[in-house]
Every structure is written in structure tokens, then in C-alpha cells.
Amino acid sequence: MADSVKDSAADVLYYLRTIGKKPLSMQIGIGGGAGVFTGYVFGKSSRLLAGTLGCSLIVLQFCNYRGYIVVSRSEFEKDLRAARRALEKQFGANKSSVPSAKEVDKFLISNKYLLGGFVAGCLLGYAFS
């Protein structure tokens, strides 16, 4: 079972990597379909997410004001440094996480129809919600 899931995931990833070589109408259609889904989900969940985030910030600020939450800045910075070292060890410190301008340009140019369909679909999906 695990092998079939792994094979299916590999097939999907291969398809997504080679989508720039598919016909133009297929690129726009796939981008538009994904955009409609994303826009609809975002439109439905954005009010709930905004309310939850706002209430959480108010509760955290109240707890901080009353002294229920005490944050040690030095301990926090120490934990951040440890997490950064662990991530650098895991993923390699010599790799840059930010792509270069050439890489971004190449990606945008090779996927311009897919991205255009996604943006248009996202706006339609947001309008449907």
C-alpha cells in the first residue's frame, strides 16, 4: 500500500514538474481550476480565520498585561538559535533558502500561462464564495 501511495505521489509530482511542457489550454485549465478551488476556500475561511486570529491576540495581550504570561527574552533567543542550528544541520547551511532573481524569472516565464489561469481562477472562486 505504501509503495502505491509513493508511486502515485511521484507520478503527480512528475506531472506538476512537466506541466510547462503541456499544451497551452491544459496549462490555463489546470491553473484556473486550482485557482477557483483556492479562491473559494480562501473566501469561505478568511472571516473565520480573521476572527480567530483577532480574538487570540486580544486574549494573549490580556494575559500578558495581567502577568499570566512571562517571556524570558534570553531563553527565547537561545531556543531560536538552537532551532536555527538544527535546521541548518538538517537542510544544509550552504544552501540559500531565497531563490535568485534569475531563478524567479525563469520560473515565472516558464509558467506564465499556468499562473495567469490560477490568478483568474482565484478571483472567480473568491467571487463565488
Side-chain angles (χ1 to χ4, degrees):
M1 169 111 180
D3 289 333
S4 64
V5 171
K6 187 184 275 188
D7 292 339
S8 297
D11 290 343
V12 168
L13 289 175
Y14 175 77
Y15 186 79
L16 290 175
R17 284 189 191 111
T18 60
I19 207 161
K21 298 175 182 149
K22 304 288 183 203
L24 178 66
S25 58
M26 186 178 285
Q27 291 181 39
I28 293 173
I30 291 172
V36 167
F37 176 76
T38 303
Y40 184 78
V41 169
F42 179 75
K44 289 293 183 183
S45 63
S46 61
R47 278 183 241 124
L48 177 65
L49 182 65
T52 304
L53 182 64
C55 290
S56 299
L57 289 174
I58 289 171
V59 168
L60 282 173
Q61 185 61 31
F62 174 76
C63 291
N64 184 34
Y65 176 74
R66 298 286 292 195
Y68 299 132
I69 298 174
V70 177
V71 178
S72 172
R73 187 175 179 100
S74 62
E75 286 293 320
F76 184 71
E77 288 175 353
K78 186 175 92 173
D79 289 343
L80 281 178
R81 281 193 296 274
R84 181 177 179 190
R85 280 194 297 271
L87 288 172
E88 285 176 349
K89 183 179 179 184
Q90 179 74 26
F91 297 112
N94 54 359
K95 285 188 174 181
S96 174
S97 61
V98 178
S100 68
K102 285 184 180 181
E103 291 173 333
V104 171
D105 287 343
K106 182 180 175 187
F107 176 78
L108 290 176
I109 289 170
S110 64
N111 294 309
K112 61 186 165 192
Y113 299 113
L114 180 72
L115 295 172
F118 180 81
V119 169
C122 194
L123 293 173
L124 283 173
Y126 193 72
F128 289 149
S129 69

